Amino acid sequence: MNDKIDSKELFFGMRSSFGDMVSLLTHDVNNKLSRLMILSDQLVRGAGTSKEMEDKFANTVQDIAMMMRAATAMYLDRDEAELVRVSELVDVGVKAVRKRLDHRCIELIMDVEKFEGLDVLCQAGRLQFAVARLFAFFAKTLPEGAKITVEASRLKDKIRIELRADKSVAPAEIEKESVDIFIVDQSVRADGGKFECVVQPVLLAVIEI
């Protein structure tokens, strides 16, 4: 029981700080993050009624913490740009969702050797976070049994990182998890890159930076 109380106190403390941060962001960001806070209210009212609801509650707390971290890096812009290996970026993304992928029987296909020699000049923490959210978006929205192919290549002075699924995603799932896509887009743009994501005929996302 004490653990649950402590978790809720932590959650409300985070929401308070989160609300302060939201007021500093643009109108578009405010709208998207406010939607997440409405969801958190619904989870609080239902917390403890089932294991599934408790898991959703815990995941929401984690998402808010990660979003606060990303917003801090994005808007305070304190980190120095550095060369980061593409293999390290992909590794961060895979580790963030490995359990979810295994649980949903989603297969990850990639040739790590092809990532050798590919480096990106960026703010490491911010781009690592963006890649992790992109992997999370794929893991959460794709149907069970899907396959994700991860590729990377050099295009002149840019690095292209591509995630391609063998299945499409329902529009309702895209809407539900749209905050992930927004975070990826803003993070990549902040480093001077470009991000694109399409859902038909299959789910495909490309980062060029």
Side-chain angles (χ1 to χ4, degrees), residues 5 10 12 26 37 43 64 84 87 91 109 114 116-117 126 130 137 142 150 155 157 171 177 184 191 193 201 204:
I5 293 175
L10 172 63
F12 285 117
T26 66
M37 294 183 72
L43 295 180
I64 291 177
V84 180
S87 58
D91 187 55
I109 303 170
K114 291 184 178 180
E116 293 300 320
R126 181 167 60 200
F137 175 77
L142 283 170
V150 184
L155 298 174
D157 60 340
E177 305 297 343
V184 176
D191 270 313
L204 170 69

Side-chain angles (χ1 to χ4, degrees), residues 135-149:
F135 271 84
F137 175 77
F138 270 65
K140 288 186 288 187
T141 59
L142 283 170
E144 292 188 5
K147 296 180 181 180
I148 305 172
T149 299

Side-chain angles (χ1 to χ4, degrees), residues 1-10:
M1 180 64 69
N2 289 337
D3 288 341
K4 290 183 180 179
I5 293 175
D6 291 343
S7 295
K8 290 180 181 179
E9 289 177 350
L10 172 63

Side-chain angles (χ1 to χ4, degrees), residues 24-180:
L24 301 175
L25 307 183
T26 66
H27 179 70
D28 286 344
V29 180
N30 196 336
N31 284 343
K32 291 179 181 296
L33 301 191
S34 293
R35 285 179 53 210
L36 183 60
M37 294 183 72
I38 291 173
L39 172 61
S40 73
D41 286 334
Q42 295 172 348
L43 295 180
V44 169
R45 288 197 296 270
T49 58
S50 69
K51 180 64 167 61
E52 180 182 3
M53 187 60 71
E54 290 178 1
D55 289 343
K56 287 183 178 180
F57 180 84
N59 290 336
T60 302
V61 173
Q62 184 180 31
D63 283 346
I64 291 177
M66 294 180 73
M67 291 171 67
M68 290 174 64
R69 173 186 167 191
T72 299
M74 191 182 305
Y75 290 93
L76 297 184
D77 204 27
R78 290 178 174 175
D79 295 337
E80 295 288 338
E82 59 183 289
L83 277 176
V84 180
R85 294 177 181 176
V86 169
S87 58
E88 293 179 2
L89 292 173
V90 173
D91 187 55
V92 168
V94 172
K95 287 181 178 178
V97 297
R98 173 54 71 187
K99 288 184 179 179
R100 189 188 294 267
L101 292 176
D102 292 344
H103 178 70
R104 305 190 65 228
C105 299
I106 296 177
E107 182 181 354
L108 199 60
I109 303 170
M110 58 184 179
D111 187 348
V112 179
E113 292 184 359
K114 291 184 178 180
F115 301 158
E116 293 300 320
L118 299 180
D119 300 316
V120 177
L121 183 63
C122 63
Q123 290 191 8
R126 181 167 60 200
L127 193 57
Q128 286 173 351
F129 178 82
V131 172
R133 297 317 300 168
L134 183 56
F135 271 84
F137 175 77
F138 270 65
K140 288 186 288 187
T141 59
L142 283 170
E144 292 188 5
K147 296 180 181 180
I148 305 172
T149 299
V150 184
E151 297 181 341
S153 59
R154 187 182 302 278
L155 298 174
K156 296 183 179 180
D157 60 340
K158 298 284 187 180
I159 294 295
R160 175 187 172 98
I161 301 173
E162 176 182 300
L163 272 69
R164 183 178 66 257
D166 65 340
K167 299 181 184 297
S168 60
V169 176
E173 291 297 319
I174 297 295
E175 179 67 18
K176 188 166 61 175
E177 305 297 343
S178 61
V179 70
D180 282 332

Side-chain angles (χ1 to χ4, degrees), residues 181-193:
I181 292 301
F182 181 81
I183 289 173
V184 176
D185 179 70
Q186 294 299 299
S187 299
V188 172
R189 288 177 182 272
D191 270 313

